[in-house]
Amino acid sequence: MTNFLKKAIQDMKESAKAQHEVDKANFSAAKAEAKAQWEEAKAMSKPDTRQTIMRQERDRQLEEANARQAAAQARIDAVKNK
């Protein structure tokens, strides 16, 4: 009986230590994410940075639209050539 209790207590200690490590890692991740959001918000307050980010987003959207248009044209050509 005492061996059972000793093993149970040891298992609880190990489980608590492991959970503590997980909690520390999650806290560190949340802290880093908050800092990243703060830095992004701070960078967006600068007009040059904001314009650069918006230009990159527009370029990405334009590339996606062109790719969709090319795919649609390929489908049209495939249907017409049958």
Side-chain angles (χ1 to χ4, degrees):
M1 180 73 175
T2 52
N3 285 338
F4 173 77
L5 290 175
K6 285 181 183 178
K7 184 168 176 16
I9 291 172
Q10 185 63 29
D11 287 345
M12 287 189 294
K13 283 182 184 178
E14 290 173 7
S15 178
K17 285 180 184 178
Q19 186 60 46
H20 180 68
E21 291 299 318
V22 169
D23 291 343
K24 281 185 2 183
N26 284 333
F27 180 74
S28 294
K31 188 176 172 182
E33 289 170 346
K35 183 170 181 153
Q37 288 175 344
W38 167 254
E39 293 297 329
E40 288 171 347
K42 192 166 72 170
M44 289 299 281
S45 68
K46 298 176 185 170
D48 294 337
T49 305
R50 185 175 55 250
Q51 289 174 353
T52 302
I53 291 172
M54 291 174 76
R55 186 179 326 107
Q56 290 172 347
E57 180 65 21
R58 284 191 304 268
D59 292 344
R60 184 189 62 77
Q61 288 175 351
L62 185 61
E63 289 174 9
E64 288 177 1
N66 288 338
R68 287 180 22 226
Q69 185 178 3
Q73 188 61 44
R75 287 173 43 202
I76 291 169
D77 293 344
V79 170
K80 284 185 177 181
N81 291 334
K82 280 189 176 183

